[in-house]
Each structure stands twice: as C-alpha cells, then as structure tokens.
Amino acid sequence: MYPDWPEPGVDLEPLPRVDGPKLGPFDFKGPQRIEFLEYLGSGQHSHVFKVQILGTVYALKLFRFTYIYDWIGPGPRHTELDDIEAVSAFYQYSEPFSAECRAFGRLQESGHEELAIECFGYLLLDEEHERTLMSRFSDLDLEFSGTWSEPGIEERSRYPGESGKDPPIRGIVKEFGQENTVLRVKDAKKALRDIIQLQQLGIVNIDPEQRQIINGKFADFSIAITTPHYMMNPEMNIFLTPEWRSAVEYEAFGHSLRDYLEFDNMIVGWNCELKWTGNKKHKPLSVFAFPNGKGLQIKYDLRKSPDRERAFSYVDPRTYDWRAPRPGKTLSSKPPRWYYEGSDQHLRNLKRCTDFVPGIEWKYRAGLICPDKGSHWFEGIIESV
Ligand SMILES: Nc1ncnc2c1ncn2[C@@H]1O[C@H](COP(=O)(O)OP(=O)(O)O)[C@@H](O)[C@H]1O
Ligand SMILES: [Mg+2]
C-alpha cells in the first residue's frame, strides 16, 4: 500500500497509483543527499524541516503515518483496517501524502503552479537519512506514527513492505518560506482569488487558514480533494442509486462551498484577533466571499434577485477536464457559479451553515469506493446501498 523501499537503480514512479494527477520524484541528480538544517514546525500530518539539497534551501514536509480514520473520506467508524485491498484503494485518494501529491500534480499538469507554494517533487527518505534525521533532532522525540493531536499509536508497521520492513518515510520538497503573520486587504483578495482558481482546476478542501499561507501562497494540501475523486465525481461509480448520487452531489457541492465559508471564517478570526489584542496597526478586513461573511444566509432584495431561493458556490470544480488537461489554459477570475439543484432539505441545510460538515462514510466494495452511511445531514434520505 505505502510506497515501498526503492530498488537500487530503478526510477521512482509518479504517485499516487490511481487515475488523475500524479507527482513525480524530486531529481537528486544522483544519490539522495539532504542536509537537515532546522526543524520548522509540525502539523496534523507532518513534520517540516528546512533542508539543503544540491546547494539550494527547501522546505521538506515529511509525512506521518496517520490513522485511516483521520484520512479525508473513510470516516471515523471505518472498520476495514485489515482489508489491505480496501485500505490501499482509499490510500491513493485520501491519505494525506497522496492527497498532496494529487493537488500538486494537478497544478503541474495544468501549468498553474503559481497558485500555490512551489513544489519540486516527492522523495522516499532512505535509511541513512532517516537515522541522521532522528539523531540530529533526538531532543524532539519525533513521532511518525499517528497525528499531531494523537501521536504514538503504531501505524507505520501496520502495512509493511515486500521485505517485511516498515515502509520508508515519504516527503514532499517545497519552496522554503515564511508564514503570513499579517493579513492585509491585498493578501485576503489574493487568497480568495487563488481559491476560486484552484477550484477551477478541480481542487477543493483547500483548508484556508492564515497559518496555511506561506510566502503569500497556499502551502498545505494534505486534506485536498482533487478530481477525479470518489467524493466529487459520482459518475465514477456506475452502481450508485439516484438517491446516493444526489447525496454525493450534495457533499461535493458542500466541499466547494466550505472553502469559501472557511475563507470568511479566516477573515472573521483575523478581525477578532485585532480586536482582542488591541492591535490598531491593522484595520479589520471586509474582504468576504459571501456578504458579511455569513454564508448563504444572504438578505436579498426579493424583487430583484433570482438567487434568493438558490444555493450557490463560486465554482463547479467538476468542470475541470482531467482527461484532457490543457496546460496554461487561462483561469477566470469570475467563473460561472455552481447553483445547487437538490432537495429542499439539502437547500435548507446549505442556507444555514457557516461551515460544512461532511456526513457520508465510505466503504470499499467490489473494486469501488461507495458511500455507505449518511449522518444527520441525510436523515431520512439515505439508508444504505
Ligand atoms: N514551505 C514552507 N516553508 C516554511 N515553513 C513551512 C513550509 N511548509 C510548512 N511549514 C511549516 O510547517 C508547518 C506544518 O506544515 P503543513 O504543510 O501545514 O503540515 P500539515 O499538513 O501537517 O498541517 C506549517 O504550519 C509551517 O509552520
Ligand atoms: Mg497544516
């Protein structure tokens, strides 16, 4: 399931091993040689280091072996941990390293790398470098099993490679940068524009938060959902009933919508921080995706607006043609909106939410990832397939 230790002399393949965008390996121009300079920080899914490779400084994000229930999709009650075929199917789309490879792969294939921090490929840390890393930073007790919020439960050894050894640590090499500590009007406008453009490339769940913006660009795609994806493209599963199809569409819409809701929450958070800290140096921002940052609870002039009964998101990410990428195709700053055509219940849910909580849990059955259960969002709508 996890990429195994590479055979000497054999080129690494682009990952992940599934239809859609992939990320190629970092080119060491010979044997792997990394100098670890500094520990930069950690997140839910990784430890990030300042490194030097071939004379250039980079940020190297080394991924933890996180629990399957932490992956975006399988859900907290996932019970198939011993079903290697099922876990492998989810791995390709939903595991944080795979999710990030797919998003950066999409930016490369579409020629729109400018929309995120620059990415130079993935690597599999060899044993010698892993030993060096662990001794150089021994004071940090670095854990690669589990997550930031729940470290320690052994995950890495759960899925050994061919030889029976634990799999190698996976990393992504990125431009080294600085977190944005200040949110100015132009930063906020750029972030919103970038979300709109990333979504036109079929990338959602961008997780817009101030700490994810580095050198003014989105830098963390470990929970991104990139088309084609079982959570976005119900047509990938020809066995879906019409009810399930509309439930999956509802959630796909919710994922698109959520990026804008979270963007607005980021602005509200920044404004609150200014107030609480008595910071008079910066003005509160009013750059919102939705009027006043209140989601779809929009007060329309009823005579004028045809939108009053409809829920919309700013982009339909499914329109990206992943089968025939056109590198360099210009992206619109005002693409056609995605109007949601669903049940009244769905519409009511969407209109009142200030964040979107996905409700579908997914199962692997007969070669396909299928929706299995729906939570409260779908009460009365969904039983089981
Ligand atoms: N390109 C980078 N340059 C400098 N620091 C970085 C870079 N990428 C990440 N970091 C630091 O590492 C932290 C974790 O990275 P992130 O990609 O958000 O990981 P996770 O997916 O685990 O949340 C960031 O909050 C930031 O402090
Ligand atoms: Mg992060």
PDB file of all heavy atoms in Angstrom, residues 40-48 59 61 63-64 100 117 174-179 211-212 214 219-222, ligand 1:
ATOM      1  N   LEU A  40      11.196  23.159  11.280  1.00  0.00           N
ATOM      2  CA  LEU A  40      10.361  24.343  11.053  1.00  0.00           C
ATOM      3  C   LEU A  40       9.036  24.289  11.795  1.00  0.00           C
ATOM      4  O   LEU A  40       8.479  25.314  12.164  1.00  0.00           O
ATOM      5  CB  LEU A  40      10.085  24.511   9.555  1.00  0.00           C
ATOM      6  CG  LEU A  40      11.300  24.890   8.709  1.00  0.00           C
ATOM      7  CD1 LEU A  40      10.946  24.860   7.231  1.00  0.00           C
ATOM      8  CD2 LEU A  40      11.815  26.271   9.100  1.00  0.00           C
ATOM      9  N   GLY A  41       8.508  23.083  11.932  1.00  0.00           N
ATOM     10  CA  GLY A  41       7.220  23.005  12.615  1.00  0.00           C
ATOM     11  C   GLY A  41       6.512  21.722  12.264  1.00  0.00           C
ATOM     12  O   GLY A  41       6.985  20.934  11.436  1.00  0.00           O
ATOM     13  N   SER A  42       5.385  21.531  12.931  1.00  0.00           N
ATOM     14  CA  SER A  42       4.640  20.318  12.623  1.00  0.00           C
ATOM     15  C   SER A  42       3.195  20.676  12.411  1.00  0.00           C
ATOM     16  O   SER A  42       2.735  21.766  12.754  1.00  0.00           O
ATOM     17  CB  SER A  42       4.772  19.313  13.760  1.00  0.00           C
ATOM     18  OG  SER A  42       4.121  19.805  14.888  1.00  0.00           O
ATOM     19  N   GLY A  43       2.485  19.750  11.794  1.00  0.00           N
ATOM     20  CA  GLY A  43       1.056  19.894  11.594  1.00  0.00           C
ATOM     21  C   GLY A  43       0.415  18.565  11.930  1.00  0.00           C
ATOM     22  O   GLY A  43       1.088  17.646  12.402  1.00  0.00           O
ATOM     23  N   GLN A  44      -0.860  18.472  11.690  1.00  0.00           N
ATOM     24  CA  GLN A  44      -1.593  17.237  11.984  1.00  0.00           C
ATOM     25  C   GLN A  44      -0.963  16.037  11.264  1.00  0.00           C
ATOM     26  O   GLN A  44      -0.944  14.940  11.789  1.00  0.00           O
ATOM     27  CB  GLN A  44      -3.062  17.440  11.543  1.00  0.00           C
ATOM     28  CG  GLN A  44      -3.980  16.267  11.785  1.00  0.00           C
ATOM     29  CD  GLN A  44      -4.344  16.094  13.269  1.00  0.00           C
ATOM     30  OE1 GLN A  44      -3.722  16.670  14.170  1.00  0.00           O
ATOM     31  NE2 GLN A  44      -5.336  15.276  13.517  1.00  0.00           N
ATOM     32  N   HIS A  45      -0.392  16.282  10.076  1.00  0.00           N
ATOM     33  CA  HIS A  45       0.041  15.143   9.254  1.00  0.00           C
ATOM     34  C   HIS A  45       1.537  15.068   9.005  1.00  0.00           C
ATOM     35  O   HIS A  45       1.976  14.240   8.207  1.00  0.00           O
ATOM     36  CB  HIS A  45      -0.661  15.216   7.874  1.00  0.00           C
ATOM     37  CG  HIS A  45      -2.130  15.362   7.990  1.00  0.00           C
ATOM     38  ND1 HIS A  45      -2.830  16.439   7.485  1.00  0.00           N
ATOM     39  CD2 HIS A  45      -3.047  14.574   8.596  1.00  0.00           C
ATOM     40  CE1 HIS A  45      -4.100  16.303   7.770  1.00  0.00           C
ATOM     41  NE2 HIS A  45      -4.268  15.188   8.438  1.00  0.00           N
ATOM     42  N   SER A  46       2.322  15.956   9.596  1.00  0.00           N
ATOM     43  CA  SER A  46       3.708  16.014   9.144  1.00  0.00           C
ATOM     44  C   SER A  46       4.648  16.692  10.139  1.00  0.00           C
ATOM     45  O   SER A  46       4.206  17.323  11.106  1.00  0.00           O
ATOM     46  CB  SER A  46       3.762  16.813   7.843  1.00  0.00           C
ATOM     47  OG  SER A  46       3.449  18.169   8.117  1.00  0.00           O
ATOM     48  N   HIS A  47       5.948  16.541   9.830  1.00  0.00           N
ATOM     49  CA  HIS A  47       6.995  17.375  10.414  1.00  0.00           C
ATOM     50  C   HIS A  47       7.671  18.060   9.235  1.00  0.00           C
ATOM     51  O   HIS A  47       7.934  17.412   8.210  1.00  0.00           O
ATOM     52  CB  HIS A  47       8.034  16.531  11.150  1.00  0.00           C
ATOM     53  CG  HIS A  47       7.470  15.759  12.301  1.00  0.00           C
ATOM     54  ND1 HIS A  47       7.150  16.350  13.503  1.00  0.00           N
ATOM     55  CD2 HIS A  47       7.169  14.446  12.436  1.00  0.00           C
ATOM     56  CE1 HIS A  47       6.687  15.429  14.338  1.00  0.00           C
ATOM     57  NE2 HIS A  47       6.683  14.269  13.708  1.00  0.00           N
ATOM     58  N   VAL A  48       7.967  19.352   9.386  1.00  0.00           N
ATOM     59  CA  VAL A  48       8.540  20.088   8.258  1.00  0.00           C
ATOM     60  C   VAL A  48       9.925  20.625   8.653  1.00  0.00           C
ATOM     61  O   VAL A  48      10.108  21.173   9.741  1.00  0.00           O
ATOM     62  CB  VAL A  48       7.599  21.228   7.811  1.00  0.00           C
ATOM     63  CG1 VAL A  48       8.169  21.968   6.603  1.00  0.00           C
ATOM     64  CG2 VAL A  48       6.218  20.678   7.462  1.00  0.00           C
ATOM     65  N   ALA A  59      11.960  23.623   1.857  1.00  0.00           N
ATOM     66  CA  ALA A  59      11.217  23.076   2.999  1.00  0.00           C
ATOM     67  C   ALA A  59      10.891  21.630   2.627  1.00  0.00           C
ATOM     68  O   ALA A  59      10.428  21.365   1.519  1.00  0.00           O
ATOM     69  CB  ALA A  59       9.937  23.862   3.213  1.00  0.00           C
ATOM     70  N   LYS A  61       8.604  18.548   3.714  1.00  0.00           N
ATOM     71  CA  LYS A  61       7.477  18.088   4.543  1.00  0.00           C
ATOM     72  C   LYS A  61       7.532  16.567   4.611  1.00  0.00           C
ATOM     73  O   LYS A  61       7.390  15.901   3.586  1.00  0.00           O
ATOM     74  CB  LYS A  61       6.160  18.561   3.922  1.00  0.00           C
ATOM     75  CG  LYS A  61       4.910  18.090   4.654  1.00  0.00           C
ATOM     76  CD  LYS A  61       3.678  18.842   4.150  1.00  0.00           C
ATOM     77  CE  LYS A  61       2.409  18.403   4.853  1.00  0.00           C
ATOM     78  NZ  LYS A  61       1.252  19.228   4.459  1.00  0.00           N
ATOM     79  N   PHE A  63       5.875  13.200   5.951  1.00  0.00           N
ATOM     80  CA  PHE A  63       4.513  12.829   6.364  1.00  0.00           C
ATOM     81  C   PHE A  63       4.514  11.759   7.438  1.00  0.00           C
ATOM     82  O   PHE A  63       5.288  10.816   7.406  1.00  0.00           O
ATOM     83  CB  PHE A  63       3.711  12.344   5.147  1.00  0.00           C
ATOM     84  CG  PHE A  63       3.326  13.477   4.241  1.00  0.00           C
ATOM     85  CD1 PHE A  63       4.262  14.039   3.373  1.00  0.00           C
ATOM     86  CD2 PHE A  63       2.051  14.011   4.272  1.00  0.00           C
ATOM     87  CE1 PHE A  63       3.928  15.112   2.564  1.00  0.00           C
ATOM     88  CE2 PHE A  63       1.701  15.078   3.457  1.00  0.00           C
ATOM     89  CZ  PHE A  63       2.645  15.629   2.605  1.00  0.00           C
ATOM     90  N   ARG A  64       3.607  11.922   8.366  1.00  0.00           N
ATOM     91  CA  ARG A  64       3.381  10.904   9.385  1.00  0.00           C
ATOM     92  C   ARG A  64       2.557   9.772   8.764  1.00  0.00           C
ATOM     93  O   ARG A  64       1.881   9.968   7.761  1.00  0.00           O
ATOM     94  CB  ARG A  64       2.568  11.484  10.548  1.00  0.00           C
ATOM     95  CG  ARG A  64       3.174  12.706  11.211  1.00  0.00           C
ATOM     96  CD  ARG A  64       2.100  13.289  12.135  1.00  0.00           C
ATOM     97  NE  ARG A  64       2.406  14.630  12.587  1.00  0.00           N
ATOM     98  CZ  ARG A  64       2.885  14.929  13.797  1.00  0.00           C
ATOM     99  NH1 ARG A  64       3.152  13.974  14.662  1.00  0.00           N
ATOM    100  NH2 ARG A  64       3.087  16.179  14.144  1.00  0.00           N
ATOM    101  N   GLU A 100      -1.860  15.290  -1.158  1.00  0.00           N
ATOM    102  CA  GLU A 100      -0.989  16.415  -1.500  1.00  0.00           C
ATOM    103  C   GLU A 100      -0.299  16.194  -2.849  1.00  0.00           C
ATOM    104  O   GLU A 100      -0.166  17.118  -3.651  1.00  0.00           O
ATOM    105  CB  GLU A 100       0.023  16.640  -0.361  1.00  0.00           C
ATOM    106  CG  GLU A 100       0.629  18.013  -0.425  1.00  0.00           C
ATOM    107  CD  GLU A 100       1.091  18.565   0.912  1.00  0.00           C
ATOM    108  OE1 GLU A 100       0.329  18.540   1.902  1.00  0.00           O
ATOM    109  OE2 GLU A 100       2.218  19.065   0.969  1.00  0.00           O
ATOM    110  N   ILE A 117       2.426  27.302  -3.216  1.00  0.00           N
ATOM    111  CA  ILE A 117       3.865  27.309  -2.986  1.00  0.00           C
ATOM    112  C   ILE A 117       4.521  26.361  -4.001  1.00  0.00           C
ATOM    113  O   ILE A 117       3.918  25.369  -4.400  1.00  0.00           O
ATOM    114  CB  ILE A 117       4.141  26.877  -1.522  1.00  0.00           C
ATOM    115  CG1 ILE A 117       5.516  27.316  -1.101  1.00  0.00           C
ATOM    116  CG2 ILE A 117       3.993  25.398  -1.308  1.00  0.00           C
ATOM    117  CD1 ILE A 117       5.515  28.083   0.162  1.00  0.00           C
ATOM    118  N   LYS A 174       9.444  21.413  -1.045  1.00  0.00           N
ATOM    119  CA  LYS A 174       8.758  22.659  -1.435  1.00  0.00           C
ATOM    120  C   LYS A 174       9.668  23.858  -1.267  1.00  0.00           C
ATOM    121  O   LYS A 174      10.671  23.793  -0.552  1.00  0.00           O
ATOM    122  CB  LYS A 174       7.522  22.879  -0.539  1.00  0.00           C
ATOM    123  CG  LYS A 174       6.545  21.749  -0.524  1.00  0.00           C
ATOM    124  CD  LYS A 174       5.371  22.136   0.372  1.00  0.00           C
ATOM    125  CE  LYS A 174       4.528  20.923   0.691  1.00  0.00           C
ATOM    126  NZ  LYS A 174       3.456  21.236   1.624  1.00  0.00           N
ATOM    127  N   GLU A 175       9.242  24.938  -1.867  1.00  0.00           N
ATOM    128  CA  GLU A 175       9.902  26.232  -1.667  1.00  0.00           C
ATOM    129  C   GLU A 175       9.884  26.546  -0.169  1.00  0.00           C
ATOM    130  O   GLU A 175       8.872  26.368   0.494  1.00  0.00           O
ATOM    131  CB  GLU A 175       9.069  27.246  -2.471  1.00  0.00           C
ATOM    132  CG  GLU A 175       9.191  28.676  -2.138  1.00  0.00           C
ATOM    133  CD  GLU A 175       8.068  29.491  -2.857  1.00  0.00           C
ATOM    134  OE1 GLU A 175       7.392  28.979  -3.776  1.00  0.00           O
ATOM    135  OE2 GLU A 175       7.878  30.645  -2.461  1.00  0.00           O
ATOM    136  N   PHE A 176      11.000  27.001   0.348  1.00  0.00           N
ATOM    137  CA  PHE A 176      11.068  27.401   1.751  1.00  0.00           C
ATOM    138  C   PHE A 176      10.502  28.821   1.887  1.00  0.00           C
ATOM    139  O   PHE A 176      10.771  29.679   1.049  1.00  0.00           O
ATOM    140  CB  PHE A 176      12.524  27.372   2.232  1.00  0.00           C
ATOM    141  CG  PHE A 176      12.730  28.050   3.544  1.00  0.00           C
ATOM    142  CD1 PHE A 176      12.269  27.467   4.719  1.00  0.00           C
ATOM    143  CD2 PHE A 176      13.363  29.285   3.614  1.00  0.00           C
ATOM    144  CE1 PHE A 176      12.435  28.101   5.942  1.00  0.00           C
ATOM    145  CE2 PHE A 176      13.530  29.923   4.836  1.00  0.00           C
ATOM    146  CZ  PHE A 176      13.071  29.329   5.998  1.00  0.00           C
ATOM    147  N   GLY A 177       9.720  29.044   2.911  1.00  0.00           N
ATOM    148  CA  GLY A 177       9.146  30.386   3.039  1.00  0.00           C
ATOM    149  C   GLY A 177       8.795  30.749   4.470  1.00  0.00           C
ATOM    150  O   GLY A 177       9.211  30.089   5.418  1.00  0.00           O
ATOM    151  N   GLN A 178       8.028  31.795   4.586  1.00  0.00           N
ATOM    152  CA  GLN A 178       7.608  32.320   5.896  1.00  0.00           C
ATOM    153  C   GLN A 178       6.089  32.322   5.971  1.00  0.00           C
ATOM    154  O   GLN A 178       5.426  32.646   4.995  1.00  0.00           O
ATOM    155  CB  GLN A 178       8.073  33.777   6.067  1.00  0.00           C
ATOM    156  CG  GLN A 178       9.558  34.010   5.896  1.00  0.00           C
ATOM    157  CD  GLN A 178      10.362  33.346   6.992  1.00  0.00           C
ATOM    158  OE1 GLN A 178       9.874  33.181   8.112  1.00  0.00           O
ATOM    159  NE2 GLN A 178      11.582  32.918   6.671  1.00  0.00           N
ATOM    160  N   GLU A 179       5.584  31.978   7.161  1.00  0.00           N
ATOM    161  CA  GLU A 179       4.136  32.068   7.369  1.00  0.00           C
ATOM    162  C   GLU A 179       3.697  33.528   7.338  1.00  0.00           C
ATOM    163  O   GLU A 179       4.434  34.397   7.798  1.00  0.00           O
ATOM    164  CB  GLU A 179       3.770  31.508   8.746  1.00  0.00           C
ATOM    165  CG  GLU A 179       3.563  30.018   8.763  1.00  0.00           C
ATOM    166  CD  GLU A 179       3.123  29.519  10.134  1.00  0.00           C
ATOM    167  OE1 GLU A 179       2.200  30.107  10.720  1.00  0.00           O
ATOM    168  OE2 GLU A 179       3.728  28.547  10.607  1.00  0.00           O
ATOM    169  N   ARG A 211      -2.514  30.230   8.865  1.00  0.00           N
ATOM    170  CA  ARG A 211      -1.246  29.516   9.066  1.00  0.00           C
ATOM    171  C   ARG A 211      -0.885  28.598   7.893  1.00  0.00           C
ATOM    172  O   ARG A 211       0.194  28.031   7.839  1.00  0.00           O
ATOM    173  CB  ARG A 211      -1.273  28.742  10.386  1.00  0.00           C
ATOM    174  CG  ARG A 211      -2.306  27.670  10.404  1.00  0.00           C
ATOM    175  CD  ARG A 211      -2.470  26.973  11.737  1.00  0.00           C
ATOM    176  NE  ARG A 211      -3.698  26.196  11.698  1.00  0.00           N
ATOM    177  CZ  ARG A 211      -3.797  25.025  11.125  1.00  0.00           C
ATOM    178  NH1 ARG A 211      -2.762  24.451  10.554  1.00  0.00           N
ATOM    179  NH2 ARG A 211      -4.962  24.397  11.106  1.00  0.00           N
ATOM    180  N   GLN A 212      -1.815  28.409   6.965  1.00  0.00           N
ATOM    181  CA  GLN A 212      -1.537  27.558   5.797  1.00  0.00           C
ATOM    182  C   GLN A 212      -0.968  28.382   4.650  1.00  0.00           C
ATOM    183  O   GLN A 212      -0.644  27.853   3.594  1.00  0.00           O
ATOM    184  CB  GLN A 212      -2.820  26.876   5.288  1.00  0.00           C
ATOM    185  CG  GLN A 212      -3.636  26.197   6.349  1.00  0.00           C
ATOM    186  CD  GLN A 212      -3.112  24.817   6.681  1.00  0.00           C
ATOM    187  OE1 GLN A 212      -1.901  24.603   6.766  1.00  0.00           O
ATOM    188  NE2 GLN A 212      -4.007  23.877   6.853  1.00  0.00           N
ATOM    189  N   ILE A 214       1.891  30.507   3.088  1.00  0.00           N
ATOM    190  CA  ILE A 214       3.339  30.718   3.240  1.00  0.00           C
ATOM    191  C   ILE A 214       3.843  31.452   2.004  1.00  0.00           C
ATOM    192  O   ILE A 214       3.467  31.105   0.878  1.00  0.00           O
ATOM    193  CB  ILE A 214       4.052  29.367   3.455  1.00  0.00           C
ATOM    194  CG1 ILE A 214       3.645  28.860   4.845  1.00  0.00           C
ATOM    195  CG2 ILE A 214       5.561  29.492   3.310  1.00  0.00           C
ATOM    196  CD1 ILE A 214       4.260  27.617   5.312  1.00  0.00           C
ATOM    197  N   ALA A 219      -0.059  26.446   0.987  1.00  0.00           N
ATOM    198  CA  ALA A 219       1.116  25.572   1.052  1.00  0.00           C
ATOM    199  C   ALA A 219       0.808  24.167   1.551  1.00  0.00           C
ATOM    200  O   ALA A 219       1.662  23.293   1.491  1.00  0.00           O
ATOM    201  CB  ALA A 219       2.163  26.207   1.968  1.00  0.00           C
ATOM    202  N   ASP A 220      -0.413  23.945   2.043  1.00  0.00           N
ATOM    203  CA  ASP A 220      -0.717  22.652   2.672  1.00  0.00           C
ATOM    204  C   ASP A 220      -1.928  22.037   1.970  1.00  0.00           C
ATOM    205  O   ASP A 220      -3.042  22.542   2.082  1.00  0.00           O
ATOM    206  CB  ASP A 220      -1.010  22.899   4.160  1.00  0.00           C
ATOM    207  CG  ASP A 220      -1.436  21.645   4.889  1.00  0.00           C
ATOM    208  OD1 ASP A 220      -1.449  20.558   4.278  1.00  0.00           O
ATOM    209  OD2 ASP A 220      -1.771  21.746   6.090  1.00  0.00           O
ATOM    210  N   PHE A 221      -1.710  20.921   1.266  1.00  0.00           N
ATOM    211  CA  PHE A 221      -2.806  20.277   0.533  1.00  0.00           C
ATOM    212  C   PHE A 221      -3.061  18.865   1.051  1.00  0.00           C
ATOM    213  O   PHE A 221      -3.515  18.001   0.315  1.00  0.00           O
ATOM    214  CB  PHE A 221      -2.489  20.259  -0.970  1.00  0.00           C
ATOM    215  CG  PHE A 221      -2.539  21.631  -1.585  1.00  0.00           C
ATOM    216  CD1 PHE A 221      -1.395  22.401  -1.696  1.00  0.00           C
ATOM    217  CD2 PHE A 221      -3.744  22.176  -1.996  1.00  0.00           C
ATOM    218  CE1 PHE A 221      -1.441  23.686  -2.228  1.00  0.00           C
ATOM    219  CE2 PHE A 221      -3.811  23.461  -2.523  1.00  0.00           C
ATOM    220  CZ  PHE A 221      -2.649  24.219  -2.647  1.00  0.00           C
ATOM    221  N   SER A 222      -2.773  18.645   2.335  1.00  0.00           N
ATOM    222  CA  SER A 222      -2.863  17.268   2.820  1.00  0.00           C
ATOM    223  C   SER A 222      -4.299  16.791   3.035  1.00  0.00           C
ATOM    224  O   SER A 222      -4.524  15.606   3.248  1.00  0.00           O
ATOM    225  CB  SER A 222      -2.042  17.092   4.093  1.00  0.00           C
ATOM    226  OG  SER A 222      -2.528  17.925   5.109  1.00  0.00           O
TER     227      SER A 222
HETATM  228  N1  LIG B   1       7.249  25.796   2.673  1.00  0.00           N
HETATM  229  C1  LIG B   1       7.403  26.026   3.987  1.00  0.00           C
HETATM  230  N2  LIG B   1       8.317  26.913   4.437  1.00  0.00           N
HETATM  231  C2  LIG B   1       8.450  27.156   5.767  1.00  0.00           C
HETATM  232  N3  LIG B   1       7.717  26.556   6.714  1.00  0.00           N
HETATM  233  C3  LIG B   1       6.795  25.653   6.342  1.00  0.00           C
HETATM  234  C4  LIG B   1       6.593  25.341   4.953  1.00  0.00           C
HETATM  235  N4  LIG B   1       5.616  24.434   4.855  1.00  0.00           N
HETATM  236  C5  LIG B   1       5.216  24.176   6.121  1.00  0.00           C
HETATM  237  N5  LIG B   1       5.916  24.899   7.020  1.00  0.00           N
HETATM  238  C6  LIG B   1       5.737  24.890   8.493  1.00  0.00           C
HETATM  239  O1  LIG B   1       5.318  23.581   8.905  1.00  0.00           O
HETATM  240  C7  LIG B   1       4.011  23.607   9.464  1.00  0.00           C
HETATM  241  C8  LIG B   1       3.242  22.365   9.056  1.00  0.00           C
HETATM  242  O2  LIG B   1       3.114  22.327   7.634  1.00  0.00           O
HETATM  243  P1  LIG B   1       1.750  21.903   6.918  1.00  0.00           P
HETATM  244  O3  LIG B   1       2.020  21.759   5.473  1.00  0.00           O
HETATM  245  O4  LIG B   1       0.663  22.822   7.321  1.00  0.00           O
HETATM  246  O5  LIG B   1       1.533  20.456   7.560  1.00  0.00           O
HETATM  247  P2  LIG B   1       0.221  19.621   7.956  1.00  0.00           P
HETATM  248  O6  LIG B   1      -0.363  19.086   6.686  1.00  0.00           O
HETATM  249  O7  LIG B   1       0.760  18.520   8.809  1.00  0.00           O
HETATM  250  O8  LIG B   1      -0.688  20.574   8.672  1.00  0.00           O
HETATM  251  C9  LIG B   1       3.400  24.904   8.963  1.00  0.00           C
HETATM  252  O9  LIG B   1       2.394  25.363   9.827  1.00  0.00           O
HETATM  253  C10 LIG B   1       4.609  25.827   8.914  1.00  0.00           C
HETATM  254  O10 LIG B   1       4.914  26.330  10.188  1.00  0.00           O
END
